[in-house]
Amino acid sequence: MKTAADGRPLPRYRPGPRDWLQLAYLGGAALLVGFLGLFGFALIFNGVTIFGWLFAAGFFMFRYGFLQYRDRLAVSGTATAKASSAAIGLTELVGLGHADDTSKAPVSETPCLFWSVNVEQWQRRSKRRGWHNKLHRTFAVGTLELEDQSGRVLVWTRGAELVSVKQVWKSEDGNPPEAALRLVAATGLQWPEPSSGYPMRITEERILSEAPLYVMGTLAERRQIPDRPTSLLPRLLNRWLDTAPRLDGQSFGAAFRFTSQAARRFLARDLQTVIPRWTPPDVDPHRVVVWKGDQRRAFIIAGVVEREAIRALSRRAWLGILGGGALMVGTLLVAVWKLTGVIR
C-alpha cells in the first residue's frame, strides 16, 4: 500500500465510468488512425500507381545524377580559397579536418569525422537471392573545423554530399581484422570460411580526423543562417517533434487528436535519420560558417583530394543519369505494353 510523506495510507484510485469511456475513445481513435494510415498507403501504393512511382523514382535518380554532374563542374571550375580570406558565397577550401566529438570507425579503429559500416551476407535462396544487410551503423559530426596555413573556419555538416574513403573485407579473402570479427559476432553470426556458399562482406566508409579534407559550400555569417528549416518537409517534421500529444478533453474528437499527434511524432522520430533536425551551430553571430546554403549550391565534404572527389562525383553522375533514364524508359515500355494488351 502506498503511503504519504507523513505515513498515512493513500486512498486507492478506482476508475469510474468516465475513465472507461475515455479508454474506449482512445482505443477507437487508435484503430481509426491506423485504418486511415493503411488506407492512404493502399491508395498511394498499388498495382495501378506502381508504374507512376517507378517513373518518378527514375526521374529523381536522373535528377540526382544531373545534380552530381553540376557539382562536378563546380568543383573543377572553382579556385581554392584561404580560410582567413575566403569571400562570402560559394567557396572551396582545402586543409585538415578537426572536431571535438570524433568517433573511432568500427573496423579500422581510426578517429573519424564520419563513418558508415555495413555487414552483408549472400543468400542463395531463389526468392531472396542476393546480398542481405545484417548490420548498419553510421556516425557523423554535427560541426567540424577546417584548418589550413592561414587559419580555421567552421563547417556545419548538415546536408553535405559526403565523398569518403571506402574499404571492403570479403570472406573469400580470409579473416578480417579482430574488430571486424567482433562486429560480426554482435549480429549473432560467424565469419564464414573462404569456401563457404554463404560469403560475407564488410564495407566501411570513413572520413578521417586530423587528415586532408576538401570542402565546398556556402560561406556566410552565422546570423545569416535561419534558425528554422527553410524547406517544407524538415519544417513540418520539426513541428511534429516539438508538439507533445495532449489529451484536452473527454470526447472522441479529443482522443482522435491525441492519437494522431502521437502517430505524427512517432513518424517524425523515425524519419530523423533521413532528415536530421535543424540545429545551426551556437556560435557568435558574426562568425563565418560554411553550410549548405539556401540557393541549391553544391555542398561537398570529401576525405580525399580534389581530383579523387571529381572522379567520385563523375561516377555518381553517370550512374544516376544512365540508371534513371533506363528506369524511366523501361517503365514506359512496360506500361505501354500492358495498356495495349488490355485494349486488345
Side-chain angles (χ1 to χ4, degrees):
M1 179 181 294
K2 294 183 178 180
T3 59
D6 57 0
R8 292 180 301 172
L10 294 175
R12 178 179 294 180
Y13 178 77
R14 297 181 182 275
R18 297 185 64 182
D19 298 312
W20 291 113
L21 182 62
Q22 186 64 50
L23 185 61
Y25 283 156
L26 287 173
L31 291 176
L32 181 58
V33 169
F35 171 77
L36 291 176
L38 292 175
F39 183 72
F41 183 84
L43 285 179
I44 296 174
F45 299 99
N46 54 61
V48 177
T49 62
I50 188 64
F51 293 104
W53 286 112
L54 286 174
F55 186 85
F59 170 78
F60 282 107
M61 190 174 178
F62 181 88
R63 179 177 178 273
Y64 171 78
F66 179 80
L67 293 177
Q68 292 294 301
Y69 188 75
R70 180 207 63 180
D71 293 347
R72 178 203 177 280
L73 294 178
V75 171
S76 60
T78 304
T80 303
K82 297 294 184 181
S84 61
S85 58
I88 297 297
L90 186 65
T91 187
E92 178 182 277
L93 301 167
V94 176
L96 299 178
H98 305 274
D100 295 331
D101 53 346
T102 59
S103 173
K104 287 187 176 181
V107 180
S108 60
E109 297 186 319
T110 52
C112 294
L113 304 171
F114 161 84
W115 58 257
S116 175
V117 64
N118 286 284
V119 178
E120 299 170 296
Q121 188 170 33
W122 180 266
Q123 298 292 336
R124 302 177 63 181
R125 298 176 183 174
S126 58
K127 292 185 178 180
R128 300 188 61 191
R129 186 180 181 88
W131 289 102
H132 289 260
N133 195 289
K134 300 298 182 180
L135 179 70
H136 172 74
R137 292 179 183 174
T138 186
F139 166 83
V141 296
T143 59
L144 60 90
E145 288 187 327
L146 184 143
E147 180 184 22
D148 60 15
Q149 295 178 349
S150 65
R152 289 192 176 195
V153 64
L154 184 66
V155 181
W156 181 29
T157 62
R158 186 188 187 280
E161 184 76 27
L162 300 175
V163 180
S164 53
V165 176
K166 184 177 180 180
Q167 190 171 1
V168 181
W169 293 268
K170 298 180 179 179
S171 59
E172 297 95 325
D173 301 331
N175 288 334
E178 187 65 28
L181 295 178
R182 292 196 299 267
L183 190 68
V184 173
T187 66
L189 301 174
Q190 289 185 347
W191 187 256
E193 297 294 330
S195 59
S196 173
Y198 297 91
M200 188 176 290
R201 68 184 181 189
I202 301 175
T203 305
E204 183 181 87
E205 298 183 43
R206 56 184 180 266
I207 296 179
L208 298 176
S209 176
E210 312 291 335
L213 189 72
Y214 172 90
V215 173
M216 169 174 280
T218 300
L219 186 70
E221 291 186 350
R222 169 59 185 89
R223 59 188 177 89
Q224 296 175 319
I225 302 176
D227 292 327
R228 294 186 178 183
T230 55
S231 54
L232 176 61
L233 186 56
R235 188 165 65 246
L236 186 63
L237 290 179
N238 276 7
R239 189 173 66 188
W240 287 355
L241 283 169
D242 295 336
T243 303
R246 293 182 58 186
L247 189 60
D248 53 5
Q250 291 187 339
S251 65
F252 183 78
F256 182 79
R257 286 192 297 272
F258 173 82
T259 308
S260 59
Q261 288 173 355
R264 290 197 298 266
R265 197 176 194 189
F266 176 81
L267 179 63
R269 286 179 177 175
D270 195 49
L271 293 175
Q272 265 191 298
T273 56
V274 181
I275 306 176
R277 288 189 68 110
W278 185 274
T279 53
D282 185 16
V283 295
D284 184 89
H286 297 285
R287 184 175 180 181
V288 293
V289 180
V290 180
W291 70 301
K292 184 177 179 61
D294 53 4
Q295 298 182 8
R296 301 185 182 275
R297 293 171 173 170
F299 185 30
I300 302 165
I301 298 177
V304 295
V305 297
E306 181 177 349
R307 182 173 56 188
E308 294 181 5
I310 291 176
R311 290 177 182 173
L313 293 173
S314 296
R315 289 193 297 268
R316 296 179 186 182
W318 288 115
L319 179 62
I321 291 173
L322 297 178
L327 182 58
M328 286 191 291
V329 172
T331 302
L332 286 176
L333 289 177
V334 173
V336 170
W337 174 73
K338 286 185 170 293
L339 190 61
T340 54
V342 171
I343 294 175
R344 289 178 183 177

